[in-house]
Amino acid sequence: MACLGVFVAYLPVTSVSVSLTAIQSALSTTTSQLSWVSDAFVLPMAAFILTAGVFGDVHGRKKVYLTGLLLSAAGAATSLTAHSIGQLWTGQALSGIGAAALLPTTLALISHAVPDHRERGKFIGFWAMCLLGALAVGGVIAGLILGHTEWRWIFLVPIPVALAAFGVSLRLLPESRAPRTGRLDWPGQITAALAITALVYGVIQGGEGSFADAQVVVALAVALVSGAAFVVAERRSAHPMLDLALFRSPGFTATTLVAMVMFLGMIGFFFVLSLYFGMVQHLDTLGTAWRMLLITGAALLVSGVAGRVMYRIAPRLMITTGLLLVTAALLTLLGADASTSFGSLSWRLVLLGLGMGMVTTPMTAVAVASVPHPLAGMAAAGNNAFRQVGGALGPAVLGALLTSRAVSALPDRLSDAGIDGPLADRLTDAVRDGGLGAAGSVPLGARTGQVWGAVGSAFLDGMRLCLTVSAALTFLAAVLAFVLLRPRANRTGSAKVVRESAAQTPSAPRPSDAVVPDGA
């Protein structure tokens, strides 16, 4: 049930990613509005995932799991019937809340069913494979659907899957709770939601316009103040949503930082990569999906192997090596252009997937194993929350960089293509106001080919900047993993957290039961 739940949670991710060009064309959206299609899903997931984890620990994980399935189905149904960008955002938000309920509870269910951290690693490997499997098949399904009908029908598939999982789980899934009592931490929930939403909104709006705009400055100030208020609230709360003592475990801290930085770079780049296939290489959705499948398919295969060998090879080594492979793959993609063949792209995309697969399973297993068993739900929720914050910022940050660089490069690219005068001015103004896709709103006549060639070249300038930033972020994540996931530091830090938690939680396990697996 845990694997099926995470499959439902992540099924919409790549199906939406590969359909962005079709959605933009059908709804006539700007690049900023299009980035909110992804962020409308990721933002609620990041904002409510901590609450869902704690609520499941206290009131029952089965209840939260079933609620997540119903919300995922409701969100998909809302998006399926969408005829405006606002309704699509609403559907994505409902699906994101459903995913927030599913992610921490699925990992906590595994932790409850398999208390031994060595054996648990295998099941977390299966969990990661299902996550990556959803990413792999979602894009292909969307491509097949869009080859025969309109984009809305990509949201049909999650509905029967979620409802079938609900029916089976209602009868077969046992209830479980953490052996502690408490209430929801509303000050922490409110301040966390405000901080995350304001930060992503400020980044998106700043990228579309200017970071000096009043609304952007206010949003970023709200994010800063709310973040500080969250820390104060959690330190004072008798039942914190995120126990800050968890960060005394180097294993938990390292994997949380690595997850956030990696997802910022990777999810943001997937957003850009999907637009590259559609706007520059002019591929249909299925063609885009097959290329994205090279990434997710390779990651899926490697993650299964990683789950079986992660206690023979130090997680520090696996995570660092995987992140370096991702960095290398991103740098090799700097040479891609409009005419780059499928064969030339394929090995780079496979390399990218191999690196991702080496990171996903050990990173998740270390985060869960580095804290006391009763705090597994909170640890899983915290790790996933920071991961989704990075995922929410990814399209916002890289979308802003892409638009800014492409718009600034467009006049020179138009001049290189022999287009100047009033037509060049109209094109530049249209793209500045509505994104690169807005070039199609200007009458082009016989110069259509030249204009779209110049737009594609400007997009490539922006994409190369995004690739450079993504590579720098994944390299930073590799350095963090190598420095922070030192076995001796993890053992000491984890034991300290366990001792403190054991003093507060009567049923906490012995310190040796919760040590980070790096010592294996």
Side-chain angles (χ1 to χ4, degrees):
M1 289 300 102
C3 291
L4 191 56
V6 77
F7 184 87
V8 170
Y10 270 86
L11 189 59
V13 175
T14 47
S15 61
V16 171
S17 294
V18 301
S19 306
L20 287 175
T21 302
I23 293 172
Q24 185 176 41
S25 176
L27 299 180
S28 301
T29 65
T30 66
T31 303
S32 174
Q33 290 174 322
L34 199 64
S35 68
W36 274 108
V37 174
S38 298
D39 282 331
F41 176 85
V42 178
L43 258 180
M45 192 194 309
F48 294 107
I49 200 169
L50 286 169
T51 296
V54 175
F55 195 95
D57 285 348
V58 175
H59 298 290
R61 292 157 182 156
K62 179 179 179 178
K63 295 183 182 70
V64 177
Y65 178 86
L66 294 175
T67 302
L69 291 173
L70 290 179
L71 285 171
S72 296
T78 303
S79 298
L80 176 64
T81 58
H83 290 275
S84 67
I85 191 66
Q87 186 177 344
L88 180 57
W89 290 341
T90 302
Q92 284 284 86
L94 285 173
S95 296
I97 298 173
L102 289 170
L103 285 177
T105 51
T106 52
L107 279 172
L109 287 171
I110 292 175
S111 181
H112 172 76
V114 190
D116 179 71
H117 70 262
R118 291 176 179 271
E119 187 69 17
R120 190 191 310 150
K122 300 177 184 178
F123 289 91
I124 289 179
F126 295 145
W127 180 90
M129 288 179 67
C130 289
L131 186 156
L132 293 168
L135 296 178
V137 303
V140 175
I141 292 173
L144 293 171
I145 289 173
L146 285 173
H148 298 87
T149 185
E150 61 181 356
W151 62 269
R152 293 177 187 84
W153 292 100
I154 66 174
F155 295 101
L156 176 64
V157 179
I159 299 175
V161 178
L163 294 179
F166 180 89
V168 174
S169 302
L170 188 63
R171 297 189 60 183
L172 301 181
L173 187 66
E175 185 60 278
S176 68
R177 295 176 176 84
R180 60 189 177 94
T181 58
R183 295 178 298 177
L184 285 180
D185 174 24
W186 288 112
Q189 172 59 66
I190 293 170
T191 52
L194 274 175
I196 294 169
T197 304
L199 177 61
V200 176
Y201 175 82
V203 171
I204 290 179
Q205 295 303 118
E208 185 181 38
S210 169
F211 282 93
D213 291 345
Q215 61 179 349
V216 176
V217 173
V218 170
L220 295 178
V222 169
L224 181 62
V225 172
S226 300
F230 173 77
V231 173
V232 172
E234 297 309 277
R235 290 179 64 88
R236 294 181 176 179
S237 175
H239 306 285
M241 181 173 64
L242 180 64
D243 191 341
L244 299 182
L246 291 175
F247 289 97
R248 296 177 187 172
S249 164
F252 178 80
T253 302
T255 53
T256 298
L257 288 174
V258 168
M260 184 171 67
V261 173
M262 177 185 171
F263 265 60
L264 197 160
M266 291 308 306
I267 299 299
F269 177 65
F270 283 167
F271 174 80
V272 174
L273 188 63
S274 176
L275 293 178
Y276 161 74
F277 288 136
M279 295 184 62
V280 178
Q281 293 208 325
H282 305 294
L283 299 173
D284 59 14
T285 304
L286 187 57
T288 299
W290 285 123
R291 284 156 178 79
M292 299 291 274
L293 182 61
L294 292 175
I295 303 174
T296 53
L300 175 62
L301 293 175
V302 173
S303 69
V305 176
R308 291 192 293 270
V309 304
M310 61 174 292
Y311 294 110
R312 300 175 188 172
I313 303 174
R316 177 195 190 196
L317 178 61
M318 292 181 64
I319 293 172
T320 303
T321 302
L323 289 168
L324 291 176
L325 287 177
V326 170
T327 303
L330 292 171
L331 292 176
T332 63
L333 285 166
L334 284 169
D337 56 28
S339 60
T340 302
S341 66
F342 175 78
S344 180
L345 278 175
S346 61
W347 68 268
R348 309 177 198 191
L349 300 179
V350 169
L351 183 64
L352 186 62
L354 292 176
M356 288 179 58
M358 290 182 67
V359 173
T360 305
T361 300
M363 183 169 62
T364 305
V366 170
V368 174
S370 62
V371 302
H373 182 63
L375 298 180
M378 182 184 290
N383 187 265
N384 275 301
F386 281 94
R387 183 183 304 181
Q388 300 311 324
V389 168
L393 286 173
V397 172
L398 295 191
L401 290 174
L402 173 69
T403 301
S404 176
R405 181 71 184 95
V407 168
S408 65
L410 184 60
D412 290 337
R413 296 303 182 183
L414 289 171
S415 178
D416 293 341
I419 299 170
D420 50 21
L423 177 58
D425 294 337
R426 288 198 301 273
L427 285 166
T428 302
D429 291 339
V431 168
R432 184 178 293 110
D433 294 336
L436 291 171
S441 64
V442 178
L444 302 177
R447 314 191 77 175
T448 300
Q450 292 172 278
V451 169
W452 284 112
V455 169
S457 296
F459 181 95
L460 286 172
D461 288 338
M463 188 181 82
R464 291 183 181 116
L465 175 61
C466 292
L467 278 167
T468 303
V469 172
S470 294
L473 288 170
T474 52
F475 181 75
L476 173 61
V479 173
L480 289 173
F482 185 79
V483 171
L484 296 179
L485 285 177
R486 290 173 294 181
R488 179 174 297 178
N490 280 345
R491 287 196 295 270
T492 303
S494 297
K496 183 175 181 181
V497 174
V498 174
R499 287 195 299 271
E500 294 181 355
S501 177
Q504 300 170 5
T505 308
S507 56
R510 297 187 310 273
S512 59
D513 293 335
V515 172
V516 172
D518 288 32

